[in-house]
Amino acid sequence: MEPNSNFTENQLLLSSAQLQEQLEQQKALASVIVRIRESLDLETIFQTTVTQVRQLLNADRVAVFQFDREQNWEGEFVSEDVAIGWDSAMAVKVYDHCFGEQFAASYQQGRVQAVADIYKAGLSDCHVAILSKFQVQANLVVPLSRQKELWGLLCIHQCSEARDWKESEIEFIRQIADHLVVAIQQAKHLHEVQLQVAELAQAAQRDQVIAQIVDEIRSPLDIETIFKTTTQEIRQLLQADRVAIFSFNDDWSGNFVAESFASGWTPLVGVQAAIADTYLQQTQGGRYANNQTFTANDIYQAGLTNCHVTLLEQFQAKAFATAPILQGEKLWGVIAAYQNASPRQWQSYEVESLTKIGTQIGVALRHYKLLAHAQYQAEQQKTLTSVITRIRESLDLNTIFQTTVTEARQMLQADRVAVFRFDPQKDWEGEFISEDVVPECNSVIAEKVYDYCFGENFAPLYAQGRVNAIADIYQGKFPGCYVQILEKFQVRANMVAPLLKKGELWGLLCIHQC
C-alpha cells in the first residue's frame, strides 16, 4: 500500500501546484483588467502588463511589438520588461521579410506561435538571425489584432535556455492579449474623441456665427429682407466673392432672386433671363432634389460638361459650393457661394455652413408660405362672415346673390363669379341670374344655356354635392360640347359648386377664370 500512497501524494502535490499556478495567472489577469479600466494611457497599461507577466512566467523578456502601418511589416518594441543581464529590445526598428512571407497571414487569423527552441523549430535562417539578435532561445508570440487588423504582437522571450511552453501559459497569454486589444481599441477611440472635441470646438465657433445669421433670418417676415440679410452675412462668413440664391421655376429653369457680391463683379439678379440648365431640367433638380451639395474647387478641373463650364463663366465663377433649399420636401432652389478671382479649396465645414443656412432659408420660406396661407384663410373667413351677415340681414335673393358673387370674386381674384339657376320645367336648361365680372370679360346674365352634356356627365355628381374644379379646360378629357359652352363664355378655368334646395339641384355657383 505504501507505493500507492506515495503516488497519490505526488498527484495531490502536482494538483496543488497547478492550482496555485492558475490562481497566480488569474490574479495577474485581474490586475491587467483593472489597470485597463483605470487608465486609458497605453504606455502605463503596457508597462504594467509586461512587468507582471514576466514575473509570473519567470521569463527573461516580455515585450509589446507594434507594426508601422505605413511600412510593410516593419515595426518596433514599444514596451518591455527584461531581466538583468539581457539586452533591451526597445526602440530597435525591425523589418522581417520572413515574417511577411511565413507568419503574417497566420497571425492575422489569431494564431499563437510557441517555439521551445528556435534552433530546432525549423525556422528560416533570416528569422533565426533576428531572434538571435535579441538573444532569444525560446519564444511565445500572441497577435494583437484589432478588428481583423494586425496591430502588433505580445512577445515572451526566454533567453537563457530553451523552454517548453505549457498549454496553461499559452492560454493565459492569449487572455492577456485579448484584454490588451481592448485597451488599444479604447486608446484609439479616445484619440478619435479628442480630435472630435477639437473639431467640435471649432464648429461651435462657426455655429455661433451661423446662429446669429439664423436669428437675423427669423426676425423679419419679409422674404426679400431674409434673402438680402442671408447673402450678405454668409458671404462675410465664407469670405467668398459672391453668394447668391437661385429659385427654380415650374419647368426647372430658374432665376437668381438675391445676391451679395464683392466690388468689381457684375450682378446676376435681374440681369439675365431665365437660366436653363439642361441637366437640372432633365433630372428635375438633379442631386439637389436628393438634398445633396455640390462643390467644385476649380471649374476647369472638376470634370464638368462644356455647357456647365460656359454657364459658370457667365457667372464669372472659377470655383463654387452649392446647397439645396428645400421647402418642406420640395426643392425650392439653391444657395451658392462663388469664388471668382481664383480656384478655391472648399472645406467641409464651409459646405456644412452653407447647408445649414440653406436649411434655415427653407424653414423661413415654409413659414412665409404658411403665414400667407393663414392670412388668405383669414380673408376667406372674413368674406364668408360678411356674406352670411348680408344673407341674414336680407330676405331678397337678388341682394343676397349680388353680395355673394361680388365678395367671392374679390376674394378669389377671379374674372367672373356667377349664380346659375336651372329651369325646373325644362331638362337641365337654365340661365345666369347674378354675376360680378371684370370689364375684360363679357356678361353672361340672361344667357340661356342648355347643356345635354351636363345631364349625362355632371348632373348626378352635382346632385350628390360634388364640387368640380378644372385648371385648364383644354387639358382635361372633357366632351367637345362641354368645352364649346365654356368657350362661349370665354372660360379657360372654372370651379363649380352645386346649390341644393331640399336635396334637389337648384343651381350652380360658378367661378370663371377667363
Side-chain angles (χ1 to χ4, degrees), residues 210-437:
I210 292 175
Q212 293 173 354
I213 298 175
V214 170
D215 287 340
E216 293 174 357
I217 290 175
R218 292 177 176 176
S219 57
L221 293 177
D222 176 32
I223 202 68
E224 292 184 1
T225 303
I226 291 174
F227 288 164
K228 181 179 179 180
T229 301
T230 301
T231 53
Q232 289 176 347
E233 297 287 346
I234 197 67
R235 189 177 73 81
Q236 291 176 4
L237 176 66
L238 299 181
Q239 292 295 293
D241 291 328
R242 187 194 314 271
V243 170
I245 294 175
F246 182 85
S247 175
F248 286 109
N249 299 320
D250 290 338
D251 64 352
W252 297 103
S253 64
N255 299 88
F256 288 102
V257 296
E259 67 178 334
S260 173
F261 57 91
S263 60
W265 307 108
T266 58
L268 301 179
V269 175
V271 176
Q272 295 193 359
I275 298 168
D277 185 317
T278 53
Y279 167 76
L280 295 177
Q281 287 184 301
Q282 292 171 359
T283 59
Q284 297 188 347
R287 59 177 59 83
Y288 300 121
N290 296 321
N291 200 20
Q292 296 177 2
T293 59
F294 187 31
T295 60
N297 299 325
D298 185 336
I299 66 171
Y300 301 108
Q301 302 295 326
L304 304 177
T305 60
N306 292 334
C307 60
H308 197 177
V309 171
T310 299
L311 185 62
L312 290 166
E313 286 176 338
Q314 295 176 17
F315 304 158
Q316 302 175 292
K318 288 187 170 60
F320 68 85
T322 53
I325 299 173
L326 296 174
Q327 190 178 46
E329 296 183 356
K330 181 182 178 182
L331 178 62
W332 180 90
V334 174
I335 182 168
Y338 295 109
Q339 200 68 27
N340 300 346
S342 63
R344 171 172 176 167
Q345 186 75 31
W346 298 100
Q347 303 301 316
S348 59
Y349 68 82
E350 293 174 327
V351 179
E352 182 182 348
S353 299
L354 201 64
T355 301
K356 288 181 179 179
I357 295 299
T359 299
Q360 291 302 320
I361 294 175
V363 172
L365 285 167
R366 182 168 175 78
H367 287 172
Y368 183 78
K369 182 179 179 181
L370 291 174
L371 178 63
H373 183 66
Q375 290 173 337
Y376 179 72
Q377 286 183 321
E379 290 297 324
Q380 284 184 321
Q381 188 62 41
K382 182 180 178 181
T383 300
L384 180 61
T385 302
S386 176
V387 170
I388 293 173
T389 301
R390 293 291 185 89
I391 291 174
R392 290 177 177 176
E393 288 177 348
S394 175
L395 292 176
D396 178 48
L397 273 183
N398 291 333
T399 301
I400 293 171
F401 288 158
Q402 194 57 51
T403 299
T404 301
V405 295
T406 301
E407 297 278 359
R409 194 190 68 77
Q410 292 177 356
M411 179 62 214
L412 297 176
Q413 293 293 296
D415 293 330
R416 181 192 295 118
V417 174
V419 175
F420 182 86
R421 181 181 180 182
F422 291 107
D423 187 338
Q425 304 301 322
K426 298 183 179 180
D427 188 19
W428 305 121
E429 183 176 320
E431 63 181 337
F432 290 98
I433 60 174
S434 184
E435 74 170 350
D436 189 62
V437 61

Side-chain angles (χ1 to χ4, degrees), residues 30-72:
S31 177
V32 170
I33 295 172
V34 168
R35 288 302 181 98
I36 291 174
R37 291 177 177 176
E38 288 179 345
S39 174
L40 289 175
D41 178 45
L42 273 184
E43 185 176 344
T44 301
I45 294 171
F46 286 161
Q47 195 58 51
T48 300
T49 302
V50 296
T51 300
Q52 291 191 345
V53 169
R54 194 187 71 77
Q55 292 175 354
L56 180 65
L57 296 184
N58 196 25
D60 294 324
R61 182 190 296 113
V62 174
V64 175
F65 184 85
Q66 181 180 4
F67 290 108
D68 185 343
R69 295 180 61 185
E70 303 300 324
Q71 303 294 331
N72 187 23

